[in-house]
Amino acid sequence: MYVYLIAFLVSTTLFKCGDFFKEKNRWIVDALGILLLCMVAGFRGISVGTDVSVYLRPSIDAAMYANNFVEYWHASWMPPNGYRLMEISQFEFGYTLLIWIVTKLFHSIVMTQLVVELFIIYPIYFVLRKAKNTSVWIGMLTFELLFFNTSLNMIRQSMAVAIGFVAFFYWLNNDKIKFLFFTFVACFFHKSAVILLLIVGLYEFLYSKNYLNYQRRSKILKLEYSSYRLLILSVIGICAILGIRYLSYLLKFIGLGQYSTYVTKASFLPNQILYYLPGLVLLMINWKVYKQTIIGYKFYILMIIYAILASQFYTESTVLSANQYGGRIALYFSMFQILAYAQAFKKIRYKYSLLFVLIIYMSFYWWYHYAFLGIDMTVPYAFINY
């Protein structure tokens, strides 16, 4: 456990110190912070993260010993506690190609695991550095405490989410070509990245036409139109949970039937709500300030609400699988907490008191979720055995 905490403390300090350097020199300090986190991922043992033993390490071994790509592509293995063979060819091509290239280039498990994590961390860092009025160190600390351990387990999907993060950034900057390109790339690492199309649809609906005309009010609820739409989208999300059977049919219809098992059932899971509630409350406290200073503030609120709703999904086997399946869907929505907190605590009134509460909340979340409950099987940390 202390490996993570020390790495988080040192890397966050480096990102904070990077703010005091000129842009041409800042990259050195930031690179050290990123490298440290990647080293934690690179030197982890096979027991750190369920998917490491299920497919990451076997795919690295297959690439290392295959004589050519065709042989690698048809490699198969029996995963731990598995009942059927897994094959390289069943995974998305972007992931398999990356493993093949990096493993053949370095012929090292450590380096391959390190580079895989780099494909997750750097896109998030890139967005934080490029986005306006954003605190990089707060954003990276949010990633470390809420998502880093998840990225050690849900590897392919974490890569897709991170690349999708970049895609959405370009959408916000009206660069639709780059958005489509990075969305396409994200789907090459995990097909579920098509959910990015839904996310941008929600964003456009929330702010369409009245995005710059804040002061127009709804005569019905006496709310700003974007707030009115926020309520509408929240209700639609709740209806989607109630009509879960039809959502499963929709996934099969659009060619994502393999993910229909993620949404077999839905229920009221209060622990999932409590995971997100403190952060949501912190963002809601300064509603009047944030809606004036943070572009996309109500969108961030909506994403947290949708993360709560998505986390209610579970399979027929057990409600506990909500952490495995509902959490995978919620990851696409919950990742926007990184931008939300990084922008909310950049410049606000009562910044330090609220920031302190935020850090306490995220630290407790990390301990309870990853260390105490053992979600994602990343604690305790174990180094690789050569």
Side-chain angles (χ1 to χ4, degrees):
M1 185 171 78
Y2 294 107
V3 172
Y4 296 115
L5 299 182
I6 293 172
F8 295 165
L9 178 61
V10 175
S11 62
T12 301
T13 302
L14 288 170
F15 291 127
K16 178 61 177 177
C17 291
D19 293 336
F20 299 105
F21 286 82
K22 294 182 179 180
E23 187 171 353
K24 63 179 181 179
N25 298 321
R26 179 190 300 156
W27 70 271
I28 299 175
V29 180
D30 288 349
L32 291 175
I34 293 173
L35 178 61
L36 179 59
L37 295 174
C38 290
M39 288 177 64
V40 173
F43 283 96
R44 75 188 189 273
I46 196 171
S47 64
V48 182
T50 306
D51 286 352
V52 174
S53 59
V54 172
Y55 67 81
L56 176 61
R57 188 66 68 81
S59 60
I60 295 175
D61 290 339
M64 192 171 296
Y65 297 109
N67 295 316
N68 52 64
F69 188 82
V70 174
E71 183 179 330
Y72 163 69
W73 183 252
H74 292 289
S76 62
W77 65 91
M78 181 66 72
N81 302 319
Y83 58 90
R84 63 181 177 85
L85 287 175
M86 300 186 76
E87 298 180 355
I88 291 293
S89 58
Q90 76 183 72
F91 298 109
E92 290 82 358
F93 187 72
Y95 164 79
T96 56
L97 182 62
L98 176 66
I99 296 297
W100 166 261
I101 292 175
V102 177
T103 302
K104 286 301 184 184
L105 184 62
F106 296 103
H107 208 75
S108 167
I109 295 174
V110 171
M111 285 302 301
T112 301
Q113 292 185 157
L114 188 151
V115 172
V116 165
E117 190 66 23
L118 181 63
F119 265 69
I120 299 171
I121 294 176
Y122 182 75
I124 295 170
Y125 164 81
F126 172 83
V127 173
L128 290 172
R129 272 292 174 216
K130 292 293 183 179
K132 297 179 180 179
N133 299 318
T134 303
S135 172
V136 174
W137 78 269
I138 294 176
M140 291 304 297
L141 180 62
T142 302
F143 166 76
E144 291 162 5
L145 293 175
L146 300 187
F147 303 105
F148 178 76
N149 288 69
T150 295
S151 73
L152 300 181
N153 177 38
M154 296 191 294
I155 301 154
R156 290 160 37 242
Q157 186 165 358
S158 294
M159 297 170 78
V161 170
I163 297 171
F165 209 51
V166 177
F168 188 80
F169 169 77
Y170 282 118
W171 179 273
L172 291 181
N173 287 272
N174 297 314
D175 194 334
K176 304 303 188 293
I177 300 299
K178 288 184 179 179
F179 163 76
L180 291 174
F181 171 76
F182 281 103
T183 299
F184 184 75
V185 172
C187 290
F188 264 80
F189 285 90
H190 206 274
K191 294 177 182 178
S192 61
V194 296
I195 202 172
L196 290 167
L197 300 178
L198 169 64
I199 291 174
V200 298
L202 293 172
Y203 181 89
E204 288 301 311
F205 177 78
L206 187 62
Y207 293 115
S208 62
K209 296 182 181 179
N210 305 100
Y211 177 66
L212 297 177
N213 193 3
Y214 256 72
Q215 303 307 319
R216 295 185 62 185
R217 303 281 175 166
S218 165
K219 295 180 180 179
I220 301 176
L221 297 178
K222 294 183 179 180
L223 293 171
E224 296 168 355
Y225 276 0
S226 56
S227 300
Y228 185 46
R229 290 180 177 132
L230 175 59
L231 292 176
I232 293 176
L233 291 174
S234 299
V235 172
I236 292 175
I238 294 173
C239 291
I241 296 295
L242 297 177
I244 187 65
R245 181 178 60 179
Y246 302 102
L247 185 58
S248 178
Y249 293 154
L250 177 62
L251 288 174
K252 294 177 181 179
F253 177 76
I254 62 177
L256 295 175
Q258 66 190 95
Y259 302 113
S260 61
T261 55
Y262 288 14
V263 293
T264 304
K265 290 185 177 181
S267 182
F268 176 70
L269 304 175
N271 64 314
Q272 298 296 320
I273 297 176
L274 292 175
Y275 286 158
Y276 298 101
L277 189 59
L280 184 60
V281 170
L282 285 174
L283 289 176
M284 297 288 287
I285 286 176
N286 280 313
W287 171 279
K288 292 184 179 180
V289 176
Y290 288 152
K291 71 179 183 179
Q292 301 291 342
T293 58
I294 301 177
I295 297 177
Y297 167 65
K298 293 174 186 176
F299 171 75
Y300 298 147
I301 296 293
L302 180 65
M303 288 296 96
I304 296 178
I305 292 174
Y306 270 49
I308 294 173
L309 294 175
S311 64
Q312 304 305 304
F313 295 134
Y314 67 96
T315 63
E316 294 181 348
S317 59
T318 170
V319 174
L320 292 177
S321 63
N323 291 315
Q324 298 176 346
Y325 296 97
R328 290 177 181 268
I329 300 172
L331 186 60
Y332 285 98
F333 303 113
S334 61
M335 282 291 285
F336 286 96
Q337 290 178 96
I338 294 175
L339 271 178
Y341 300 150
Q343 294 178 354
F345 294 95
K346 177 69 174 180
K347 291 181 180 179
I348 63 163
R349 197 184 316 167
Y350 313 121
K351 171 183 176 181
Y352 295 107
S353 59
L354 289 178
L355 180 58
F356 177 75
V357 173
L358 175 69
I359 294 175
I360 292 298
Y361 149 65
M362 293 193 300
S363 299
F364 178 79
Y365 173 92
W366 185 89
W367 172 81
Y368 183 74
H369 190 74
Y370 297 114
F372 182 74
L373 293 181
I375 304 300
D376 291 315
M377 299 289 289
T378 57
V379 179
Y381 184 85
F383 286 96
I384 187 173
N385 290 322
Y386 288 99

